[in-house]
Amino acid sequence: MTVAHTVELEGHIIDSGTMGTCFGIVMDMGGEFEVEEFEVGRHKHDESYCRMRVLAESEADLKAILHELNQNGATVADPRDATLEPAPADGVVPPGFYSTTNHPTHVRIEGEWVEVEDPEMDCALVVDRNLPDDPRVRTVVLNAVEEGDLVVTGDTGIRVEPPERPRESGGSFGFMQGGISSERPSESLIGEIADEMRSVREADGTVLAVCGPAIVHSGGRDALADLVRAGYVDAISAGNGFAVHDLERDLYGTSLGVDTESLEHPREGHKHHIYTISEIVRAGGIEEAVDDGIVDEGVMYECVVNDVPYVLAGSIRDDGPLPDTITDAIEAQDAIREQAHEADLVLMLSTLLHSVAVGNCLPSTTKTVCVDINPATVTQLIDRGSAQAIGMVTDIGAFVPMLRDELLESADAA
């Protein structure tokens, strides 16, 4: 027996490939579709509309297809209110709960579409209805769900809006449709990134830099410190290793025991990173080491003296770690999540694991640039759901100084 349901697509669904994607989903999952109505926008800024009937062999097959269509921006025609069920216990969600995307999302409550706060992938949706004004819908990680929370289940009454690709490459950050490339001119792309950083700064927005130790190893550390000092980087997200090697460079002139200028290996240089940790622990932390004059340059130094917040998230691999490193994984996730929600532009600089961690917390509307010598880093980030990221495949030790020169030299010229 064939079952069917009607869905609608609206917006720049042709330019963004949304319509083709949805057609492909139906066919790949064994269903069929019939286009009942199709209106094409005739001018550059006009939206298009498609209404199609989706058919499948069983209710289970149809439900699976409709779920995938919903995730890609299709809305069930004549929607009903979302289904809400109470969480049975702390950290436990009802079966069939709606697992979020990182796209802007609305939930239908009592006939009204309510915007979801802080879109983030792989969360539950909790509805607060006991408010004096309008209901509130928020994303909640599973471990933070509390007994009795009203959790959205199923796909009914949910509208997802994936960001639309611009019709033309011009406009603010139009280059973001470029995907991953090692062939586009680095200088022009860096110029566009610098332009966006200026725009964010002028709008009192936040630029978050996600930093890997390779910045220090490859000689980009001083340039990044200059950007922090000049106010172009508003927050740092990193691991214990980045901070340790940045501090090691200040205390011993090495990174991982290697002089980053002469490339020589000083005697017992391999011990410098653990000596560095010991000195910072002895001082009581990074801020205390700066106050005592033990640390007087570098990225962490500039963060302290310029009140730029940073989150250092620990891992099982860490030496030490530094007193400032958050070793509780859940606490570190929450700190990263707070940074991600405040960011207007994110620079992911040569760190696969940290880039994926931050990317998991970002809404798809946050402009994201990932720079790494390994194209697989950017590919994995996008495959994990951060489809808004553009990738630049280049040496981070060359990228950061070029970005610094573009921003600071142009500022001096002005």
Side-chain angles (χ1 to χ4, degrees):
M1 180 182 69
T2 301
V3 292
H5 212 113
T6 301
V7 300
E8 298 172 316
L9 292 163
E10 191 169 4
H12 296 290
I13 56 177
I14 301 175
D15 303 328
S16 297
T18 303
M19 187 171 69
T21 297
C22 289
F23 288 170
I25 287 171
V26 176
M27 292 184 289
D28 291 344
M29 297 184 70
E32 299 179 3
F33 65 87
E34 300 172 356
V35 176
E36 299 179 334
E37 184 178 350
F38 183 35
E39 298 177 5
V40 180
R42 297 181 180 274
H43 301 285
K44 183 165 56 177
H45 299 294
D46 290 348
E47 296 184 345
S48 300
Y49 172 82
C50 177
R51 179 184 177 95
M52 67 176 180
R53 190 164 178 256
V54 180
L55 302 92
E57 292 296 324
S58 68
E59 287 288 352
D61 292 339
L62 181 61
K63 182 178 180 180
I65 294 172
L66 292 177
H67 173 77
E68 291 301 319
L69 292 176
N70 172 271
Q71 305 284 284
N72 285 273
T75 303
V76 173
D78 304 319
R80 295 169 293 164
D81 284 355
T83 303
L84 309 179
E85 295 185 28
D90 289 351
V92 181
V93 291
F97 77 98
Y98 180 80
S99 178
T100 59
T101 70
N102 59 351
H103 301 315
T105 303
H106 290 74
V107 176
R108 198 170 189 270
I109 307 293
E110 296 180 356
E112 300 291 334
W113 289 105
V114 180
E115 185 175 6
V116 174
E117 300 175 9
D118 298 325
E120 181 182 337
M121 68 178 74
D122 301 331
C123 292
L125 290 176
V126 171
V127 178
D128 297 327
R129 302 182 71 171
N130 299 321
L131 298 177
D133 299 315
D134 297 328
R136 174 189 180 199
V137 185
R138 53 195 172 91
T139 54
V140 179
V141 293
L142 299 193
N143 64 70
V145 170
E146 298 180 355
E147 182 179 358
D149 280 347
L150 291 178
V151 179
V152 177
T153 59
D155 298 305
T156 302
I158 297 171
R159 186 173 67 200
V160 177
E161 301 174 0
E164 296 178 332
R165 180 183 299 127
R167 183 184 291 265
E168 53 192 15
S169 60
S172 177
F173 230 46
F175 74 95
M176 286 194 68
Q177 62 186 310
I180 306 168
S181 176
S182 57
E183 298 179 354
R184 284 174 290 158
S186 297
E187 188 172 351
S188 61
L189 186 52
I190 289 172
E192 293 183 78
I193 296 170
D195 286 342
E196 186 63 22
M197 292 176 71
R198 293 188 194 98
S199 297
V200 171
R201 185 184 187 187
E202 291 169 1
D204 292 326
T206 298
V207 175
L208 170 64
V210 183
C211 304
I215 297 173
V216 185
H217 306 334
S218 62
R221 169 249 201 184
D222 291 344
L224 181 58
D226 290 342
L227 291 175
V228 174
R229 184 189 314 115
Y232 285 104
V233 173
D234 305 289
I236 294 283
S237 182
N240 185 71
F242 170 78
V244 169
H245 295 302
D246 172 68
L247 297 164
E248 176 194 342
R249 183 74 179 86
D250 184 24
L251 297 182
Y252 296 97
T254 60
S255 176
L256 272 181
V258 177
D259 189 305
T260 57
E261 294 183 3
S262 68
L263 301 183
E264 294 179 351
H265 292 68
R267 184 174 178 275
E268 296 192 341
H270 63 284
K271 299 181 180 180
H272 286 174
H273 77 285
I274 202 69
Y275 290 166
T276 297
I277 294 170
S278 176
E279 292 303 308
I280 302 302
V281 171
R282 195 187 325 279
I286 296 173
E287 184 173 352
E288 290 82 358
V290 171
D291 291 342
D292 293 345
I294 298 170
V295 173
D296 59 10
E297 66 174 22
V299 178
M300 302 313 299
Y301 170 82
E302 295 296 344
C303 286
V304 171
V305 299
N306 292 287
D307 295 322
V308 172
Y310 56 85
V311 170
L312 303 179
S315 77
I316 197 68
R317 307 180 307 278
D318 290 338
D319 291 321
L322 294 167
D324 305 77
T325 299
I326 303 173
T327 56
D328 183 285
I330 301 301
E331 183 183 347
Q333 286 179 3
D334 289 341
I336 290 172
R337 184 168 289 110
E338 184 175 346
Q339 285 186 314
H341 289 170
E342 293 178 356
D344 298 291
L345 171 64
V346 180
L347 302 178
M348 297 179 170
L349 307 176
S350 198
T351 170
L352 171 59
L353 296 180
H354 227 79
S355 294
V356 170
V358 175
N360 286 349
C361 301
L362 290 174
S364 63
T365 51
T366 301
K367 295 168 183 175
T368 305
V369 180
C370 182
V371 183
D372 202 294
I373 197 67
N374 184 359
T377 297
V378 194
T379 301
Q380 184 166 342
L381 178 68
I382 293 174
D383 288 346
R384 289 277 301 170
S386 300
Q388 80 276 20
I390 67 154
M392 186 170 177
V393 181
T394 190
D395 176 19
I396 196 67
F399 171 83
V400 181
M402 289 178 68
L403 180 63
R404 183 266 317 273
D405 293 345
E406 177 68 29
L407 286 165
L408 302 191
E409 289 179 5
S410 60
D412 292 340

